[in-house]
Amino acid sequence: MLRFDTFDAAYRHGLRWVYEAPQHFSTPRGFASRENLGFCFELTNPLARIPYSAARKTNIVFNFAEALWYLSGQADLDRIGHYAPSIRKYSMDGSTLTGTAYGTKIFHFGGAAINQWKQVAQLLREDPSTKRAVLQIFDAHELLVADNIDVSCTLGLQFFARKGRLHAAAFMRANDAYRGIVSDVFSFTFLQEMMAHQLGLQLGSYYHYVGSFHIYEPDIAAVERFLAEPPSSEASAHLLPAMPEGDNWEAVRVVLQHEQELRHNRRQITVEGLASTGVPIYWQQVLGLFEVHRQIHYEGRINQGLVDCLPAIYQWLIASRWNNLFLARQN
């Protein structure tokens, strides 16, 4: 199996493979794409979960919004559509998502509304050697819905507690090699980290398995720009901050409450106000990202003072994507 220390390296390898040596030129549902079958890799450090690239302007706010949307267990379009308006086209009723809403599968699966997260955590505590710690995502019923435009790309996630570390594996029926994999790896390693700390385990490796690995033709020019950019020698040094040790569920609930207020522009959070939320610094910084997005969305500008209190990697990602929206530092 291919092994990488950073997702940046795995991402570059996978994109180049499909771009330069496609096995198939397929057109599912009329969308032309280059496709290879059977892609897998190991990410040895799941905190290196983003591409470190000026050409591929990662939306770190969306990444956190999606991962937390999964943890909310909800299927509402309002929450995730605020951060990625283009996702609205996948909703069949204009208010919810089905396949894409992995959180509903994880916390309310099927007619019995099974909390798979709770079951898996309990199973790993009782039998750390288990091979049954699986969160099922894909549901066969999704294919029974006529003209369903939102079928889960992820089949499931599996956790392994081995030698004091929690390893995770994601199994994908299909993965967009340019767009989808970036948010998927971020979210799944985030869930891995959340589960590891809940169980008191260290973070292990992350394994990513894909059936259909593809690039849609409209993204070819963007892929070419990315591949033409030399890999950064700094990528391995820019890990995302580590989640606090222990159970983080109470902090997640607080962050989700504040995120809702920010999303609807019902409040603002200053640098001083972050501390008053009562959550650990890691989660204060996540709220800082949501405040940055509130400023972008409602004010069309970013206050430099707020960004200055965030970790260097967040600062770099914000500047890389939204540099033209910064206010002068003295403001």
Side-chain angles (χ1 to χ4, degrees):
M1 173 181 283
L2 296 168
R3 175 180 287 183
F4 301 96
D5 294 330
T6 69
F7 175 61
D8 183 85
Y11 183 59
R12 289 176 185 278
H13 177 91
L15 269 180
R16 190 172 296 281
W17 179 53
V18 181
Y19 172 76
E20 294 183 349
Q23 298 167 345
H24 306 283
F25 291 88
S26 57
T27 55
R29 304 180 314 285
F31 298 106
S33 64
R34 304 182 187 192
E35 178 188 51
N36 282 351
L37 303 181
F39 179 58
C40 60
F41 66 88
E42 175 187 356
L43 176 60
T44 59
N45 191 341
L47 293 181
R49 59 173 62 114
I50 57 166
Y52 189 76
S53 163
R56 178 63 169 87
K57 301 182 185 299
T58 301
N59 187 339
I60 187 64
V61 183
F62 169 77
N63 290 152
F64 274 109
E66 184 175 51
L68 287 165
W69 181 53
Y70 294 158
L71 289 178
S72 77
Q74 302 302 307
D76 56 313
L77 179 62
D78 177 62
R79 183 189 304 270
I80 197 64
H82 177 76
Y83 300 98
S86 63
I87 207 170
R88 296 182 182 278
K89 64 187 176 185
Y90 295 105
S91 173
M92 298 186 71
D93 62 7
S95 60
T96 60
L97 289 160
T98 52
T100 304
Y102 296 165
T104 59
K105 314 288 187 64
I106 294 172
F107 296 96
H108 315 284
F109 189 87
I114 299 170
N115 187 330
Q116 296 190 86
W117 184 280
K118 182 178 179 180
Q119 285 195 331
V120 162
Q122 181 176 345
L123 182 59
L124 286 165
R125 287 192 183 98
E126 295 174 351
D127 181 10
S129 297
T130 185
K131 300 184 290 291
R132 300 180 179 182
V134 176
L135 300 174
Q136 181 179 336
I137 303 296
F138 180 83
D139 185 341
H141 292 93
E142 295 180 56
L143 299 180
L144 301 180
V145 179
D147 301 320
N148 189 355
I149 57 176
D150 186 24
V151 176
S152 300
C153 292
T154 305
L155 300 176
L157 304 175
Q158 185 174 7
F159 297 106
F160 305 88
R162 301 291 186 269
K163 297 180 179 179
R165 293 185 177 275
L166 186 73
H167 305 278
F171 300 90
M172 315 289 298
R173 66 169 181 83
N175 216 187
D176 180 331
Y178 179 66
R179 297 178 184 275
I181 192 173
V182 174
S183 53
D184 288 334
V185 168
F186 184 98
S187 289
F188 299 156
T189 56
F190 186 88
L191 296 182
Q192 175 188 1
E193 189 180 10
M194 184 82 178
M195 180 68 79
H197 288 317
Q198 182 176 336
L199 296 173
L201 298 172
Q202 296 299 307
L203 195 59
S205 288
Y206 168 78
Y207 300 86
H208 197 75
Y209 299 89
V210 184
S212 168
F213 196 53
H214 50 269
I215 301 171
Y216 289 109
E217 288 298 325
D219 287 328
I220 290 297
V223 170
E224 291 172 341
R225 288 192 297 271
F226 175 77
L227 293 177
E229 177 189 55
S232 171
S233 60
E234 302 178 26
S236 61
H238 287 275
L239 305 180
L240 291 190
M243 198 177 289
E245 298 288 337
D247 193 315
N248 281 271
W249 274 107
E250 181 56 34
V252 166
R253 284 187 278 269
V254 172
V255 168
L256 286 171
Q257 293 171 358
H258 286 289
E259 181 278 329
Q260 182 175 8
E261 296 293 306
L262 292 168
R263 176 164 28 99
H264 293 290
N265 202 28
R266 294 178 186 147
R267 65 165 302 180
Q268 302 177 15
I269 297 183
T270 62
V271 173
E272 296 75 20
L274 289 174
S276 68
T277 60
V279 295
I281 292 176
Y282 173 92
W283 294 106
Q284 292 178 33
Q285 293 165 347
V286 173
L287 282 173
L289 290 174
F290 287 127
E291 168 59 22
V292 167
H293 190 274
R294 186 203 64 78
Q295 293 174 10
I296 293 169
H297 187 79
Y298 289 105
E299 301 173 11
R301 57 185 185 175
I302 300 172
N303 190 298
Q304 180 72 58
L306 176 67
V307 175
D308 285 345
C309 79
L310 299 178
I313 184 59
Y314 293 169
Q315 294 182 36
W316 186 87
L317 289 164
I318 293 168
S320 175
R321 189 174 181 91
W322 295 293
N323 190 53
N324 61 316
L325 297 181
F326 276 87
L327 282 170
R329 185 176 297 271
Q330 62 268 25
N331 290 345

